[in-house]
Amino acid sequence: MDSLTQIVLGGAVGNALLGRKLKNKAVFYGAIAGTIPDLDVLAVFFTDPISALEFHRGITHSILFAIFGAFFFGYLLYAFEKKRGVTYEEGGWLFFWGLFTHALLDVFTTWGTRVLWPMEYPFAFKSIFVVDPFYTLPFAFFLIKSMWEKTKLDRRMRLNRWGLYISSAYLALTLLLKAVAFYSFTDALDQQHTPYKTMSVKPTALNTVLWTAIVETKDAFLIGEYSFFSDEPIEFQTYPKNHNLIGGLENHDLVLRLVKLSEGYYTFTEQNNEFYFNDLRFGVLREQGDKVQFAFSYQFYIDEQGELRVKEVEKDKRDGVKLLKSIWRKIWGFKAD
């Protein structure tokens, strides 16, 4: 999830564990714990973009990191706050749950999270977008309300628990909504007599009303959308795999790494004798006629040493605004502009 959401979750965890002793300082320590795992994004400053993506949500999001981090950061908290009655054990538990709940929340998002690192399998329920105000805002409201309670500690803890209960209930609801969306997509494919191999279903940006499915067939991927507020039949757009475009490079290390990152949902395209790898998991950003730009695309090029490299295709912020407007229209069953 986004940084603000992880700060809120971490702050609520810290408040639940040490709010009676440390009051708002417990929220501060919890927010630190909730932020630490995402510091792995700093890898982008020390390595190439692909390696940085491979590193993200790996070791720092694992249960091993939560365990060892609890011993280290828990001791620091104990050293700072032992005069206020905080024990080493309490400090360790705050940081363990602050670190581990960060990873658990990320499991619900589209990006895979390797909570069992060094095992490479990425766990992902794909039931919530990485930014979802319906999850974050009520949670933040109850956390802030609890922070105002400096003397009525029972009320403070009760408000904090409400934030945890409501946010957790919303996560459970997203799984139910995904199940309904999944069966809606399978019904549509059956009615259209479309055979398929695999399907990935996830919510669109900032909501859990409009869902998208990426469906793999023999030679192409189909992308369709379903809204709980629309009775319009589901239509699927076809995007050829074009795996033949890569020629004899299908076993090149760089290509294999991109394929692994995309979880197998990818296509190749060619424009003006330039070749692109498209990660389909995050959908289409812009589509004009025959030209399609996916949210994550990588252009192949040869560097000065004659090595095959890729660079991410830059995204225009205006495309993001247009995408959000398109999502809003599709939620209500209107065609995108």
Side-chain angles (χ1 to χ4, degrees):
M1 295 291 285
D2 63 286
S3 298
L4 174 60
T5 301
Q6 294 291 7
I7 286 172
V8 172
L9 174 59
V13 169
N15 201 19
L17 294 174
L18 283 175
R20 290 184 180 275
K21 286 186 177 181
L22 299 181
K23 298 183 176 63
N24 289 347
K25 288 186 74 174
V27 177
F28 173 72
Y29 289 124
I32 291 176
T35 300
I36 289 173
D38 276 346
L39 295 181
D40 61 1
V41 298
L42 298 177
V44 72
F45 296 107
F46 305 100
T47 186
D48 62 275
I50 302 302
S51 297
L53 282 174
E54 292 171 330
F55 182 68
H56 184 44
R57 293 195 175 182
I59 182 173
T60 62
H61 288 67
S62 68
I63 189 170
L64 284 178
F65 184 82
I67 293 171
F68 288 103
F71 284 109
F72 176 72
F73 295 112
Y75 179 79
L76 294 180
L77 194 159
Y78 164 68
F80 288 138
E81 302 296 345
K82 58 184 177 181
K83 292 182 179 179
R84 302 186 65 178
V86 175
T87 66
Y88 181 24
E89 181 181 10
E90 289 173 327
W93 279 120
L94 184 148
F95 270 93
F96 172 79
W97 287 112
L99 296 168
F100 190 51
T101 54
H102 178 121
L104 288 179
L105 179 57
D106 278 349
V107 167
F108 284 82
T109 66
T110 301
W111 290 98
T113 307
R114 286 167 285 167
V115 291
L116 296 183
W117 184 96
M119 191 176 87
E120 285 296 312
Y121 182 79
F123 293 87
F125 294 151
K126 301 182 181 180
S127 66
I128 189 171
F129 191 69
V130 290
V131 180
D132 190 329
F134 294 102
Y135 176 85
T136 306
L137 294 181
F139 202 174
F141 170 79
F142 282 102
L143 176 62
I144 293 170
K145 285 282 288 183
S146 75
M147 292 172 67
W148 288 347
E149 297 293 343
K150 303 292 182 65
T151 57
K152 298 179 180 178
L153 297 184
D154 287 339
R155 175 174 168 78
R156 177 190 182 95
M157 295 297 101
R158 185 165 59 252
L159 287 167
N160 193 69
R161 284 196 300 272
W162 271 108
L164 289 166
Y165 293 156
I166 292 173
S167 60
S168 298
Y170 181 74
L171 284 181
L173 175 63
T174 65
L175 295 175
L176 176 61
L177 294 176
K178 176 173 179 173
V180 175
F182 178 87
Y183 286 112
S184 298
F185 284 119
T186 57
D187 286 345
L189 290 167
D190 290 341
Q191 292 174 13
Q192 298 171 25
H193 305 290
T194 303
Y196 62 96
K197 298 168 64 177
T198 62
M199 180 168 61
S200 175
V201 176
K202 64 183 183 65
T204 55
L206 306 178
N207 75 100
T208 49
V209 176
L210 181 67
W211 293 74
T212 184
I214 306 173
V215 182
E216 182 183 6
T217 64
K218 180 179 179 181
D219 300 312
F221 285 97
L222 313 178
I223 297 181
E225 291 166 324
Y226 167 76
S227 172
F228 286 101
F229 294 167
S230 172
D231 294 326
E232 293 295 316
I234 297 174
E235 298 179 356
F236 293 93
Q237 299 294 321
T238 302
Y239 301 93
K241 292 181 178 179
N242 293 327
H243 291 181
N244 60 300
L245 288 179
I246 203 65
L249 295 175
E250 67 272 8
N251 292 320
H252 190 284
D253 178 66
L254 181 58
V255 175
L256 293 175
R257 291 165 64 194
L258 286 169
V259 169
K260 183 178 179 181
L261 278 173
S262 71
E263 300 176 0
Y265 291 95
Y266 67 97
T267 65
F268 293 105
T269 51
E270 178 186 3
Q271 295 180 19
N272 301 321
N273 292 322
E274 295 177 338
F275 294 88
Y276 298 84
F277 178 97
N278 307 301
D279 186 337
L280 306 186
R281 292 176 300 158
F282 305 96
V284 176
L285 185 61
R286 181 178 66 243
E287 190 165 5
Q288 294 178 336
D290 295 334
K291 294 184 178 180
V292 179
Q293 181 178 346
F294 292 90
F296 284 89
S297 291
Y298 302 89
Q299 179 185 347
F300 290 99
Y301 70 97
I302 304 297
D303 66 12
E304 296 178 352
Q305 287 73 41
E307 296 291 331
L308 182 67
R309 304 290 184 191
V310 292
K311 58 182 178 181
E312 185 178 343
V313 177
E314 294 185 3
K315 293 180 277 288
D316 192 323
K317 292 182 179 179
R318 291 173 295 182
D319 290 332
V321 174
K322 291 179 181 178
L323 178 62
L324 292 178
K325 290 181 179 179
S326 174
I327 289 173
W328 177 252
R329 290 181 59 82
K330 291 176 180 178
I331 284 175
W332 301 102
F334 299 115
K335 297 291 185 181
D337 293 332

